[in-house]
Amino acid sequence: MGGPSDPPEGTPEGGPGGAEDEYRSVVFDESFVRAARLQEYSAEERMADHAPAVRRRPLHRGLVRQAMVLVLLIAVAFGTAVYMGVRHPYDSAEAPRPVEALRMTVIPLAPQGRVPGGADAETLYAHSPAAQFDIGAEGVPLPAARSTAHFSDTQVMAALTTAKDYIVRSSLYPEVLTGRTTAPARALVDSDQLAQFDQSFDHPAADGRHAPTGWVVRLDPARDRLADDRIRVRGALRITEADPAALEVSADHTFVYALRAAGTASAPVSLFTVRRALTFRFTRDDLRTRQVQLTTAYVEAGPLSCAEDATSYLRPLLAGQTTRPGAPAGTDPYRTDSPAALCGTLSTGAQPTT
């Protein structure tokens, strides 16, 4: 008897035959089933009118959470890359050291004989070593700004211009020279040195730390006044990298002022010379805020009497006045290698010829 014949419709679905063999190797594990996007409705749900047989399942919450974490990680990585790209390449240098107190030395230079005088400032300047000096801020030229190992040329220029600004404000501003205010110079002092600055003016002391004349050129308005506001200046600035965290600017300038006695418009004019050798330190914060740290101030000024206190004010000897020299050797403030004691003698070559 022959075997059963195949039904007319062919082999039933799921029965033995080629279809079963075709899908025999396919395995649907549990995670695949849980992640399926289609889910069959229950019998009760399908009883509702127009309800489809299946519904979409939302994405698994774990997948959504993983996607959000991935987006967050990408955002953090991108932000870090942007920060590293715009961060200044020199900001990794070592932390700056604490701000030091300013150390200052003020040396009066006594004249050898009577102080020369004249009717006008121009004549005196023309017959003095200051004849070829520049006028005002032009006498404080800026050197070329070149980058250092840890500072860019822009930062070097910022240090030089800020140092020049302090020199101009503390040596050339008439309101500062005449003792009316200290605000222009004070505004440039590092905040950590302001206490020392203020104490110097509120309670002056000849202790090498708290002399107003170490911070600024300051005349006694009760005794002296400017006969010409075109002050003669000559000097130079030099910049070096003190350490990876700071720049150092050395300034050495000679200022020549034309003065006459206060309250007498017809009094003769005389010249007063001040040499200031200042050292500035600039951290990156100072460069950002355009402020200075003064570390040393060496001042020679004359003609002055060694008997006068030069701590609070510089009180120059004016035309025709004289005093006993305070030291036997002459000191020339126009020469940067000229030595001086705590009270020196003003060289005759530093005075105008009349």
Side-chain angles (χ1 to χ4, degrees), residues 234-284:
R234 174 169 289 180
L237 294 170
R238 185 173 59 89
I239 190 165
T240 58
E241 183 177 304
D243 54 61
L247 291 169
E248 183 176 280
V249 176
S250 300
D252 197 340
H253 296 82
T254 299
F255 304 85
V256 186
Y257 306 88
L259 305 177
R260 60 164 43 104
T264 54
S266 59
V269 178
S270 60
L271 299 184
F272 179 57
T273 304
V274 179
R275 177 192 166 201
R276 302 183 78 199
L278 307 176
T279 305
F280 302 90
R281 180 179 173 86
F282 293 90
T283 64
R284 288 182 173 79

Side-chain angles (χ1 to χ4, degrees), residues 8 23 52 68 108 119 197 210 283 354:
Y23 295 103
M68 292 179 63
F197 184 94
H210 301 96
T283 64
T354 56

Side-chain angles (χ1 to χ4, degrees), residues 6 14 16 33 47-48 51 64 79 95 117 121 124 143 151 153 175-176 179 181 186 190 194 196 223 237 252 339:
D6 294 334
V33 175
M47 291 176 63
V64 175
L124 289 177
F151 292 87
D153 53 358
E175 63 269 33
V176 175
T181 182
R186 186 183 187 277
D190 185 284
L194 285 179
Q196 183 189 6
R223 300 175 72 252
L237 294 170
D252 197 340

Side-chain angles (χ1 to χ4, degrees), residues 19-354:
E20 183 181 31
D21 294 337
E22 181 179 356
Y23 295 103
R24 185 182 304 276
S25 62
V26 178
V27 178
F28 297 94
D29 60 14
E30 184 179 355
S31 62
F32 178 89
V33 175
R34 284 202 305 267
R37 299 283 308 268
L38 298 178
Q39 180 182 9
E40 184 178 0
Y41 282 85
S42 64
E44 182 179 350
E45 289 173 326
R46 287 199 302 270
M47 291 176 63
D49 292 340
H50 311 296
V54 296
R55 64 181 173 191
R56 286 183 175 272
R57 283 187 65 189
L59 285 174
H60 196 280
R61 290 184 179 179
L63 296 177
V64 175
R65 187 179 298 109
Q66 292 176 13
M68 292 179 63
V69 171
L70 180 61
V71 171
L72 180 60
L73 289 175
I74 293 174
V76 172
F78 180 78
T80 303
V82 171
Y83 172 76
M84 295 298 291
V86 301
R87 185 174 65 94
H88 198 282
Y90 303 112
D91 285 350
S92 59
E94 64 184 37
R97 69 188 187 197
V99 176
E100 299 178 0
L102 169 62
R103 305 184 307 277
M104 57 188 71
T105 304
V106 181
I107 300 175
L109 304 179
Q112 302 180 67
R114 294 187 180 278
V115 176
D120 63 273
E122 286 293 337
T123 301
L124 289 177
Y125 279 133
H127 292 85
S128 78
Q132 303 302 317
F133 281 20
D134 293 310
I135 297 176
E138 293 182 0
V140 191
L142 295 175
R146 296 183 176 89
S147 62
T148 66
H150 298 91
F151 292 87
S152 67
D153 53 358
T154 301
Q155 291 174 309
V156 170
M157 179 55 70
L160 290 169
T161 55
T162 307
K164 174 178 178 174
D165 197 12
Y166 183 86
I167 292 167
V168 169
R169 294 187 185 199
S170 62
S171 308
L172 299 176
Y173 274 29
E175 63 269 33
V176 175
L177 290 172
T178 55
R180 296 199 302 270
T181 182
T182 62
R186 186 183 187 277
L188 294 179
V189 176
D190 185 284
S191 57
D192 289 335
Q193 283 191 321
L194 285 179
Q196 183 189 6
F197 184 94
D198 292 339
Q199 185 177 350
S200 298
F201 290 89
D202 295 339
H203 305 285
D207 59 0
R209 292 289 189 275
H210 301 96
T213 50
W215 294 96
V216 301
V217 178
R218 194 179 191 222
L219 305 173
D220 187 347
R223 300 175 72 252
D224 313 301
R225 69 182 184 89
L226 287 171
D228 186 351
D229 58 5
R230 295 174 296 174
I231 300 162
R232 291 349 189 229
V233 186
R234 174 169 289 180
L237 294 170
R238 185 173 59 89
I239 190 165
T240 58
E241 183 177 304
D243 54 61
L247 291 169
E248 183 176 280
V249 176
S250 300
D252 197 340
H253 296 82
T254 299
F255 304 85
V256 186
Y257 306 88
L259 305 177
R260 60 164 43 104
T264 54
S266 59
V269 178
S270 60
L271 299 184
F272 179 57
T273 304
V274 179
R275 177 192 166 201
R276 302 183 78 199
L278 307 176
T279 305
F280 302 90
R281 180 179 173 86
F282 293 90
T283 64
R284 288 182 173 79
D285 284 341
D286 293 322
L287 296 174
R288 178 178 53 81
T289 59
R290 298 287 176 150
Q291 292 182 319
V292 303
Q293 298 178 33
L294 275 81
T295 58
T296 61
Y298 178 84
V299 181
E300 295 175 352
L304 287 173
S305 171
C306 293
E308 287 279 1
D309 181 10
T311 301
S312 297
Y313 295 99
L314 299 174
R315 297 181 172 90
L317 294 169
L318 302 178
Q321 295 180 329
T322 185
T323 187
R324 180 181 176 182
T331 301
D332 188 349
Y334 291 89
R335 294 178 52 198
T336 58
D337 60 345
S338 182
L342 292 180
C343 183
T345 301
L346 184 65
S347 170
T348 55
Q351 297 274 44
T353 58
T354 56

